[in-house]
């Protein structure tokens, strides 16, 4: 405990510490000399390619992958072209960028995944330098070619190559360059000599950082901070410039002038060393076994290094890896500084002291506690201890701090327990993954930034399934995001084990996954299919409860029939439609129609589509099914859309006959007859009739006085008498042709009676004509007829004569008591007598 | 009548939230296409949009000009076109044509299609086939539910009915499921779900699937039980003439999205007037559920009250007058305006309904429902067709005849159809094909002439064939569903008794006491029995597909009749009529429930049958 500050070094206001993370487990003969090294951030894996430049075909360089603790994960001889740069993606895949612009992707275990090219034009000019960078959009790659052209891909999973504009005056490789992410765009910052340019997709803009010493003739190094917010430039005159990455603001320090001779210029590495809420910006510079931390002030901290090292910038520090050791260099976090700084009187420090005394059973504990409590800072003290525990890597120190926090908590009544509890949990997880065998040296700050989900993913990539599941359970991650996800990955890995039989694997998977919620069997099956195990895939699909999920894979496996029925089962019509479209392109017409025939849901869906898009297909479809009824309907519909009406109708008749639908056939035939008649008449008389129904045709004829033709239709089409009489009556009344009506009424006995005559006359306000027919109305309707023409007396007479109670009442209701008093009396009397009987 | 109900009826949940959600999402989508743009709106989305966002709101989000989609070439000069449409192939094709013609003339524009409530793969296929997939961005406006009133929510998808029940196209099922899911996530969890019908079952399953995907929250539910019902379970009710005020207004003036346009004959001026008809309209709210015969009484009473209120002015001193003017006058004026409007509407209804022998029509309908004097009914229908009185009404009577009689006699079937074709044209051959397919107008199979036999059976008792007849009867009892259902569920109140429409006894009042709507009766029975037990016979006759599922909450909790437990959501798949809503409101008042009606669209006989015509293509 006393030595916590032993590795602290002051620089200006802040302290820096260098902590050993691991003694490397690898056994490298020459250390990292002549190696191409790439270490992933967030304690990720390390890739080594030994002697990449050796071109002799007989000796192949070896590519090795290690965990952060130096445990070997993969090793294989490099057989492809000359590698310019190695890098890791956010998903822990290894990128190997070759001289010819090809990028090969390997997984953690050295299995080849895929490759892509950075553009054809790279081929001749070759990649001079390449960088792998991370942005919110994923992992990107930037290259510069021998022809001094930059090409950039922001996200290798959604590859869009951007060839950046030319840099004026640049010949060969630039002195140095870096990738920036600004305004949702990736840009390249290039230095040629003392000139700086920003290259975006469209333009090349010259920039000049404010306050850069004019003495500089060349910018020899530059580096961008982990968050892309800050930029550091290093000039050949020995000036160090630190500012914001947009080059607008000189952040701190131009005048840092730390050597005048130039022997360190080919410094091997250069990196920012900051942390969120850093007290001061600082940069780490490394060369020839020396490491230098430079900040705002004139002082520097210098460390000696053994052997060739690399710097791995992190969110909250820099990791230093060499042939034997793995260390973390960072600014001491504020809470740790407060607590452990010598003679600190911060509340946290006092609390720690109090707890120490308490363990010694000394009453001094009380004194310290009182001191904190008097200042009312106990809450603050506990918080500091909890926070500091998070920043410490030694389990012992963590424990001491947490115990002190817990001790302090006892004297607080309403201190929220969550921060303490979650810190304990987090630390347990962190300590587990920092373990030498796992080798992920995450700090608490990094862990919070990276989230549990990502950590679980990383463990899964490393195939550390049991640990991942334990962590999920321990942190009570919802099953859907936690355990189930891990199990799914496990299953995907399991299906690739070629040596085991389909049966065995399927059973093992269902046994283990059976209980878990939210498992997508279709994803596992897809994986199995990708590995060429179709049978296994089908077996696994059977476990998938959501039929909709099975469809895409079934289609891919060409089990289209099965896919169709599964799609229908899912009830998702879009899915059914997807399969139908697929089948349509895949099968020949006959088979396609046959398939549909067995699936009514799909069939009606396809019919709906055809109705709007492909009328002819619809016809074929009916033909195939021998659905003559529908074909008939189809032609009828066509007949009133197109010109060749008669032809279509004839086809319809044929189809209806085939469908044994006599009624429809006859109706259609009649329509054809009517149509011919209408056409003929149109030509002769110029009356527009086509499209009218029989009824309307007759009415039109009557209206224009073509009685003969109307009569002919009446006979030819055997129009019922009643209809004809109604028709003629209405038509004549409309013309107010009263004479003709009278003639018509007398022509023969009306099949509709004479009440309609009365009513229609009244309707056209001709009571005089109406009265003519009242006498001819049947006795049952007499009252109505009289009432219609407004003859109350007549109505009364008729009602009384018929001795009908209801009718008498009807008449009564129409009488007004003041004017028709006599009538009312008569009716009432009749009503009384009718009632007696 | 509004006062007779139980006083402890629970409060309805607040549905205005649905509108706010829809509005916010629309605005978000519009802003996805920054800058000035012209907006093209599907004709049937116009009134819907009116209820969500007015023109000012649209203009605020840089909509320059508004157009109605007319499937014709466009004249817009804007560089950005936004289309707000239903996912229909024709419309998408039209848009593709616009894009292609712009391309041909070298014009560059940005296009965005917003499908509502969702897009279909088929629509995207059309874009792809027409080669414009890359030129157009598409989005979905997940606007499923439009609250039409405090207790009515509509999906406003009239095509649901035809697509699902006639074409067998199930694409709207998921939509209905999503709509239910939205209600569930905002007002659930439900304690019990009942349903009947094939589509109802599918919607239920679709909803279940969607819920399982997401997470469930424990919340105080605002809706207790849910009842899903297919329109084809009960075709009789929507085919009957409506005689309750709200239904009549819909039948005659056509209520669209909760608002109705009264023509000059109602407003007694030369202008038409568009008014919202919902519970906000105090006069309407009092008469909407009344049988039409009571409406005039109510209105004149109201007019008298109003006059008294006005009369208070007399003998007021200045101070009183001041308060009267500032506090009461505005309300009175408003009420006055509404009152004169509804009186106008009632007069107009009266005129229309007496002109065409409405009484005769009703008598025929009632005879058909009761199943006597069928021959007279047939002659009435014949005359109706022959006189070409109304294309839709004739068809309606034909269908009513067919359902109540379990199909027409072959002879009648042919002759009526032939006469119909003579009156209204050959294209109705297709209408008949559709009606046959959906089962609304069918031919009796030989040996199924139930009514005819029934009427003759008395005379045949001594006949030797009587034995055979009973055999025939038992075999067709299974098929003559309406008659048997009506007996089983007592849908037809005993005739002869006087039915006082002012003080309704049961839900039959909505059809002048002649018939209790089957759909509502089913709901009543199921709620009473808490399931389908005892209704096995009935469900068998309705072709089954019934279900009752207890939801997330456990049984004991569900049994306690808390307020939300008495709020019941009834979802009609394929539309429901205002009469049915009135009947449910009545049932709610009687039993202390509150019903919320969720329907794919408001329907009536005319809309139902128009959807089955085939002359639109």
């Amino acid at each position: 405990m006393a030595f916590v500050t032993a590795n602290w070094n002051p620089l200006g206001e802040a302290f820096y510490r260098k902590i050993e993370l691991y003694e490397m487990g690898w056994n490298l003969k020459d250390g990292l000399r002549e190696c191409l090294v790439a270490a992933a951030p967030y304690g990720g894996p390390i890739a080594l390619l030994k002697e990449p430049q050796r071109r002799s075909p007989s000796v192949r360089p070896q590519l090795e992958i290690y965990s952060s603790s130096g445990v070997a994960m993969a090793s294989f001889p490099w057989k492809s072209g000359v590698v310019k740069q190695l890098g890791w993606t956010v998903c822990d895949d290894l990128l190997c960028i070759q001289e010819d612009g090809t990028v090969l992707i390997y997984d953690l275990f050295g299995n080849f995944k895929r490759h892509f090219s950075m553009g054809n034009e790279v081929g001749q000019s070759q990649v001079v330098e390449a960088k792998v960078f991370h942005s919110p959009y994923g992992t990107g790659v930037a290259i510069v070619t021998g022809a001094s052209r930059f090409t950039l891909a922001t996200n290798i999973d959604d590859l869009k190559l951007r060839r950046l504009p030319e840099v004026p005056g640049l010949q060969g490789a630039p002195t140095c360059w870096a990738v920036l992410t600004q305004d949702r765009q990736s840009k390249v910052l290039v230095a040629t000599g003392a000139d700086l340019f920003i290259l975006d997709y469209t333009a090349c803009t010259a920039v000049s950082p404010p306050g850069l010493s004019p003495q500089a003739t060349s910018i020899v190094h530059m580096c961008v901070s982990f968050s892309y917010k800050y930029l550091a430039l290093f000039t050949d005159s020995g000036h160090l410039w630190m500012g914001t990455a947009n080059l607008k603001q000189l952040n701190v320090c131009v005048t840092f002038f730390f050597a005048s001779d130039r022997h360190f210029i080919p410094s091997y590495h250069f990196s920012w060393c900051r942390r969120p809420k850093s007290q001061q910006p600082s940069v780490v510079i490394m060369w020839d076994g020396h490491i230098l931390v430079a900040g705002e002030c004139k002082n520097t901290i210098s460390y000696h290094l053994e052997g060739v090292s690399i710097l791995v910038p992190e969110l909250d520090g820099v990791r230093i890896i060499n042939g034997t050791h793995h260390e973390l260099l960072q600014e001491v976090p504020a809470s740790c500084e407060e607590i452990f700084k010598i003679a600190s009187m911060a509340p946290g420090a006092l609390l720690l002291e109090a707890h120490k005394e308490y363990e010694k059973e000394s009453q001094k504990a009380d004194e310290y506690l009182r001191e904190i409590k008097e200042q009312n800072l106990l809450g603050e003290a506990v918080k500091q201890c909890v926070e500091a525990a998070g920043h410490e890597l030694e389990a012992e120190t963590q424990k001491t701090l947490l115990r002190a926090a817990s001790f302090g908590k006892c004297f607080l009544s309403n201190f929220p327990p969550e921060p303490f509890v979650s810190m304990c949990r987090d630390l347990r997880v962190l300590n587990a993954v920092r373990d030498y065998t796992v080798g992920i040296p995450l700090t608490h700050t990094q862990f919070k930034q990276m989230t549990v989900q990502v950590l679980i993913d990383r463990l899964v990539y490393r195939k550390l399934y049991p640990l991942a599941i334990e962590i999920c359970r321990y942190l009570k991650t919802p099953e859907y995001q936690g355990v189930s996800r891990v199990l799914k990955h496990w299953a995907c890995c399991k299906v690739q084990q070629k040596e085991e039989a389909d049966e065995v694997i399927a059973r093992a998977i269902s046994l283990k996954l059976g209980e878990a919620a939210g498992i997508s069997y279709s994803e596992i099956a897809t994986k199995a299919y990708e590995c060429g195990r179709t049978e296994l895939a089908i077996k696994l699909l059977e476990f998938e409860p959501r039929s909709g999920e099975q469809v895409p894979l079934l289609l891919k496996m060409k089990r289209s029939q099965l896919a169709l029925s599964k799609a229908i089962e899912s009830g998702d019509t879009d899915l059914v439609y997807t399969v139908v479209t697929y089948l349509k392109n895949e099968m020949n017409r006959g088979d396609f129609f046959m398939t549909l025939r067995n699936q009514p849901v799909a069939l009606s869906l396809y019919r709906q589509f055809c109705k709007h898009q492909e009328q002819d297909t619809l016809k074929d479809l009916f033909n195939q099914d021998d659905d003559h009824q529908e074909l008939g309907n189809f032609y009828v519909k066509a007949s009133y859309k197109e010109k060749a009406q008669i032809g279509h109708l004839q086809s319809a008749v044929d189809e209806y006959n085939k469908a044994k639908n006599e009624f429809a056939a006859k109706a259609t035939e009649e329509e054809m007859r009517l149509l011919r008649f209408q056409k003929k008449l149109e030509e002769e008389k110029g009356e527009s009739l086509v499209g009218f129904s029989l009824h309307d045709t007759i009415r039109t004829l009557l209206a224009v006085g073509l009685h003969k033709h109307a009569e002919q239709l009446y006979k030819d089409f055997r129009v019922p008498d009643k209809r004809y009489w109604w028709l003629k009556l209405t038509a004549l009344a409309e013309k107010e042709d009263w004479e003709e009506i009278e003639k018509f009424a007398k022509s023969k006995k009306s099949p509709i009676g004479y009440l309609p005559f009365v009513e229609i006359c009244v309707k056209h306000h001709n009571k005089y004509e109406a009265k003519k027919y009242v006498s001819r109305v049947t006795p049952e309707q007499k009252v109505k007829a009289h009432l219609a023409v407004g003859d109350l007396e007549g109505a009364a007479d008729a009602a009384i004569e018929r001795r009908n109670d209801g009718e008498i009442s009807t008449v009564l209701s129409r009488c007004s008591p003041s004017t028709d008093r006599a009538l009312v009396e008569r009716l009432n009397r009749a009503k009384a007598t009718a009632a007696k009987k | 009548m509004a006062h007779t109900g139980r006083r402890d009826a629970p409060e309805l949940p607040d549905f205005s939230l649905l509108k706010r959600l829809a509005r916010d999402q629309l605005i978000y989508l519009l802003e996805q296409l920054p800058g000035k743009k012209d907006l093209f709106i599907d004709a049937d989305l116009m009134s819907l949009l009116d209820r969500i966002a007015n023109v000012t709101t649209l203009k605020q989000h840089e909509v320059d000009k508004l157009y109605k989609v007319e499937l014709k070439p466009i004249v817009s000069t804007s560089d950005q076109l936004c289309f707000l449409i239903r996912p229909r192939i024709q419309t998408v094709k039209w848009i593709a044509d616009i894009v292609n013609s712009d391309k041909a003339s070298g014009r560059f524009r940005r296009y965005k299609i917003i499908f509502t409530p969702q897009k279909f793969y088929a629509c995207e296929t059309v874009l792809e086939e027409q080669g414009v997939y890359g030129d157009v961005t598409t989005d979905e406006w997940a606007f499923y539910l439009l609250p039409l009133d405090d207790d009515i929510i509509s999906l406003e998808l009239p095509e649901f009915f035809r697509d699902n029940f006639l074409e067998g196209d199930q694409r709207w099922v998921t939509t209905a499921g999503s709509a239910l899911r939205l209600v569930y996530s905002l007002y659930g969890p439900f304690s019990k779900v009942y349903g009947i019908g094939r589509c109802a079952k599918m919607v239920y399953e679709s909803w279940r699937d969607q819920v399982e995907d997401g997470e469930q929250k424990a919340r105080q539910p605002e809706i207790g039980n849910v009842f899903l019902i297919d329109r084809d379970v009960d075709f009789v009710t929507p085919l009957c003439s409506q005689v309750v005020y709200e239904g009549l207004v819909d039948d005659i003036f056509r209520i669209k999205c909760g608002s109705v346009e009264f023509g000059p004959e109602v407003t007694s001026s030369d202008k038409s007037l568009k008014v919202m008809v919902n519970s906000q309209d105090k006069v309407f709210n009092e008469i909407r559920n009344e049988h039409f015969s009571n409406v005039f009484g109510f209105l004149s009473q109201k007019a008298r009250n109003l006059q008294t209120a006005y009369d208070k002015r007399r003998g007021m001193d200045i101070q009183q007058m001041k308060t009267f003017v500032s506090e009461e006058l505005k309300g009175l004026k408003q009420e006055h305006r509404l009152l004169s409007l509804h009186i106008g509407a009632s007069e107009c209804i009266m005129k229309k309904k007496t002109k065409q022998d409405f009484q005769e029509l009703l008598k025929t309908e009632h005879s058909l429902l009761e199943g006597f004097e069928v021959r007279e009914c047939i002659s009435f229908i014949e005359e109706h067709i022959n006189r070409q009185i109304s294309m839709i009404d004739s068809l309606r009577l034909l269908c009513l005849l067919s359902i109540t009689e379990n199909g027409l006699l072959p002879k009648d079937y042919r002759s009526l159809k032939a006469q119909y074709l003579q009156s209204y044209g050959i294209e109705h051959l297709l209408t008949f094909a559709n009606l046959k397919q959906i089962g609304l107008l069918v031919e009796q199979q030989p040996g199924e002439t139930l009514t005819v036999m029934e009427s003759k059976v008395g005379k045949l008792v001594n006949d030797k064939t009587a034995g055979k007849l009973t055999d025939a009867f038992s075999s067709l009892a299974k098929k003559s569903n309406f008659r048997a259902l009506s007996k089983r569920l007592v849908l037809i109140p005993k005739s002869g008794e006087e039915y006082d429409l002012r003080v309704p006894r049961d839900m039959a009042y909505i059809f002048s006491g002649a018939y209790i709507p089957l759909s509502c009766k089913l709901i009543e029975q199921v709620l009473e029995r808490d399931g389908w037990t005892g209704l096995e016979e009935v469900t068998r006759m309705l072709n089954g597909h019934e279900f009752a599922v207890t939801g997330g909450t456990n049984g004991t909790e569900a049994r306690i009749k808390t307020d939300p437990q008495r709020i019941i959501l009834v979802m009609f798949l394929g539309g429901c009529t205002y009469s049915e809503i009135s009947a449910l409101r009545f049932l709610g008042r009687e039993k202390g429930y509150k019903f919320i009606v969720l329907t794919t669209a408001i329907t009536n006989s005319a809309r139902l049958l128009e959807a089955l015509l085939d002359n639109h293509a």
Side-chain angles (χ1 to χ4, degrees), chain A residues 371-400:
Chain A
E371 203 179 329
I372 314 172
K373 279 185 104 173
E374 270 160 21
Q375 300 175 67
N376 225 350
L377 286 172
L378 189 52
E380 178 64 29
V382 175
K383 235 176 83 193
Q384 272 185 359
C385 284
V386 172
E387 222 173 277
H391 293 303
E392 289 301 325
L393 296 181
E394 285 292 325
E396 257 334 293
T397 321
Q398 293 167 359
K399 274 186 202 161
T400 317

Side-chain angles (χ1 to χ4, degrees), chain B residues 336-349:
Chain B
H336 187 149
R337 197 179 58 80
L338 292 170
L339 194 60
S340 55
L341 207 58
H342 286 293
I343 290 176
S346 306
E347 276 172 352
C348 189
I349 293 171

Side-chain angles (χ1 to χ4, degrees), chain A residues 345-374:
Chain A
M345 292 298 276
L350 291 176
L351 180 60
L352 188 65
E353 210 51 42
H355 182 246
K356 257 186 217 161
E357 294 302 330
Y358 170 76
E359 297 230 297
K360 282 192 229 153
E361 298 177 13
S362 150
Q363 87 285 3
K364 273 193 188 157
D366 185 50
E367 278 170 34
Y368 283 121
L369 255 179
R370 251 173 232 282
E371 203 179 329
I372 314 172
K373 279 185 104 173
E374 270 160 21

Side-chain angles (χ1 to χ4, degrees), chain A residues 281-560:
Chain A
S282 55
V283 168
V284 174
I285 303 160
M286 176 178 75
W287 81 97
D288 286 359
H290 279 284
I291 203 161
L292 219 68
V293 186
E296 277 174 307
C297 56
K298 295 232 167 187
N299 302 336
T300 55
I301 308 169
S302 137
Y303 297 102
H304 177 69
L305 283 178
E306 280 171 29
V308 180
S309 303
I310 60 155
L311 295 178
V312 187
E314 288 280 3
L315 177 68
D316 56 349
V318 181
R319 282 187 290 134
I320 305 160
I321 303 170
N322 66 19
T324 51
H325 288 86
H326 190 160
E327 291 166 314
L328 172 70
L329 173 63
Q330 64 169 180
E331 186 187 301
V332 176
S335 53
C336 295
E337 189 185 322
E338 296 260 300
I339 290 176
F340 293 116
K341 199 161 78 176
I342 293 161
S344 167
M345 292 298 276
L350 291 176
L351 180 60
L352 188 65
E353 210 51 42
H355 182 246
K356 257 186 217 161
E357 294 302 330
Y358 170 76
E359 297 230 297
K360 282 192 229 153
E361 298 177 13
S362 150
Q363 87 285 3
K364 273 193 188 157
D366 185 50
E367 278 170 34
Y368 283 121
L369 255 179
R370 251 173 232 282
E371 203 179 329
I372 314 172
K373 279 185 104 173
E374 270 160 21
Q375 300 175 67
N376 225 350
L377 286 172
L378 189 52
E380 178 64 29
V382 175
K383 235 176 83 193
Q384 272 185 359
C385 284
V386 172
E387 222 173 277
H391 293 303
E392 289 301 325
L393 296 181
E394 285 292 325
E396 257 334 293
T397 321
Q398 293 167 359
K399 274 186 202 161
T400 317
L401 286 164
L402 286 172
R403 279 202 195 101
S406 151
F407 172 70
K409 236 156 56 78
C410 299
F411 300 94
L412 286 167
S413 51
N414 51 359
F415 189 79
E418 291 86 8
F420 181 78
V421 175
S422 68
M423 181 59 81
C424 289
R425 274 207 200 117
D426 290 352
L427 282 178
R428 191 149 176 222
V429 171
L430 284 176
N431 289 338
V433 298
R434 277 177 203 153
D435 186 88
Y436 176 80
T437 51
V438 180
I440 304 181
L442 276 181
T443 65
H444 190 253
T445 320
Q446 292 165 14
F447 174 62
K448 281 291 157 198
Q449 176 74 22
M450 151 187 219
T451 71
V452 189
Q453 270 76 31
V454 179
L455 177 63
I456 303 285
D457 279 348
R458 299 255 157 126
L459 292 174
V460 164
Y461 295 142
R462 284 167 168 76
K463 299 192 182 171
L464 298 167
Y465 303 112
L467 179 62
I469 289 181
E470 279 311 315
I471 289 176
C472 289
R473 292 212 175 114
Y474 179 67
L475 293 178
K476 300 201 172 66
T477 323
E479 279 221 341
Y480 191 66
Q481 305 166 352
V483 177
S484 298
R485 209 154 54 113
V486 178
L487 283 174
K488 190 196 82 187
H489 281 285
W490 167 78
C492 286
C493 172
K494 185 86 183 164
V495 296
Q496 296 174 46
Q497 296 176 353
K498 299 242 154 94
E499 61 278 11
E500 283 193 66
D502 292 347
E503 276 297 327
V504 181
I505 291 181
R507 202 171 330 117
I509 288 176
S510 80
L511 223 59
K512 209 154 227 152
L513 272 58
E515 300 292 297
I519 288 276
S520 165
Y521 280 95
S522 57
E523 273 181 57
I524 304 167
T526 311
K527 194 84 198 174
Y529 174 66
E530 279 167 11
C531 306
R533 303 183 76 160
T534 315
E535 285 311 309
L536 178 59
I538 291 173
K539 279 205 175 72
L540 287 170
L541 267 187
E542 279 164 19
F543 295 118
E544 175 66 58
R546 289 160 303 171
S547 31
E549 297 288 311
Q550 308 175 3
V551 174
L553 182 59
L554 285 172
L555 275 187
K556 220 192 270 173
M557 298 195 297
K558 309 232 180 274
R559 308 279 155 128
S560 37

Side-chain angles (χ1 to χ4, degrees), chain B residues 549-587:
Chain B
V549 194
T550 310
T553 49
N554 52 39
T556 47
E557 225 173 293
R559 220 157 288 151
I560 309 161
K561 292 273 174 190
T562 52
D563 267 5
Q565 292 306 317
R566 289 189 284 123
I567 295 194
I568 290 142
L569 181 83
V570 180
M571 187 171 192
F572 284 92
L573 299 161
C576 84
T577 64
Y578 279 114
S579 291
E580 285 171 307
I581 298 174
S582 291
L584 287 176
R585 284 181 186 140
F586 173 83
L587 184 66

